[in-house]
Amino acid sequence: MKISEVSQITGLSISTIHYYERSGLCPLVSRGADGHRAFSPADCDWLLLLASLRATGMPMAEMRAFADLYAAGEATVAERKAALLAHRARLDERRAELDACQSILTRKLKRYDEILGGKA
């Protein structure tokens, strides 16, 4: 797969993919006979995971630590799982915070509708 295809699939810009490679977040991507990167489906899946971790607020330092564990192989599966569980717990906390905020906004908007007599 070409980098443009991977960019389209993952939603990551080409410059972000290059940055992830330079930062050591991506395993080495093979090169085709033409010298261009040849991304595998596994490379694409890894980039999708990175995009998801970043979009959900995982700090780059944690992403690097996770990538290092991944690069270390199967012996680190338990550590990787623990890292993802911790991240999921933070997401659950954030979701609860956002739900509480949304509830407050909904009540306020309802009150404004009452004041305005149902006028938009």
Side-chain angles (χ1 to χ4, degrees), residues 1-119:
M1 230 179 301
K2 295 180 181 178
I3 195 167
S4 58
E5 294 170 291
V6 173
S7 174
Q8 193 170 35
I9 291 168
T10 63
L12 295 170
S13 68
I14 291 173
S15 62
T16 298
I17 295 169
H18 287 302
Y19 173 75
Y20 283 175
E21 285 182 292
R22 285 191 312 274
S23 298
L25 289 172
C26 279
L28 289 176
V29 176
S30 64
R31 301 264 178 178
D34 59 2
H36 291 96
R37 289 172 184 81
F39 290 86
S40 70
D43 295 327
C44 193
D45 286 345
W46 177 250
L47 285 165
L48 279 169
L49 175 61
L50 292 177
S52 176
L53 295 176
R54 190 70 190 132
T56 55
M58 182 179 273
M60 289 299 289
E62 286 184 35
M63 290 175 64
R64 281 188 191 96
F66 186 79
D68 289 344
L69 289 171
Y70 178 78
E74 293 295 316
T76 66
V77 169
E79 291 173 89
R80 285 183 270 159
K81 181 179 178 182
L84 293 181
L85 286 170
H87 185 63
R88 185 173 69 181
R90 286 191 303 269
L91 290 178
D92 290 342
E93 289 172 11
R94 184 66 180 141
R95 182 177 296 117
E97 291 170 359
L98 290 172
D99 288 346
C101 291
Q102 185 174 29
S103 177
I104 292 167
L105 291 174
T106 298
R107 283 196 317 268
K108 193 59 159 177
L109 288 168
K110 181 180 177 186
R111 179 64 184 132
Y112 287 164
D113 283 343
E114 292 167 358
I115 291 168
L116 293 170
K119 300 174 195 166

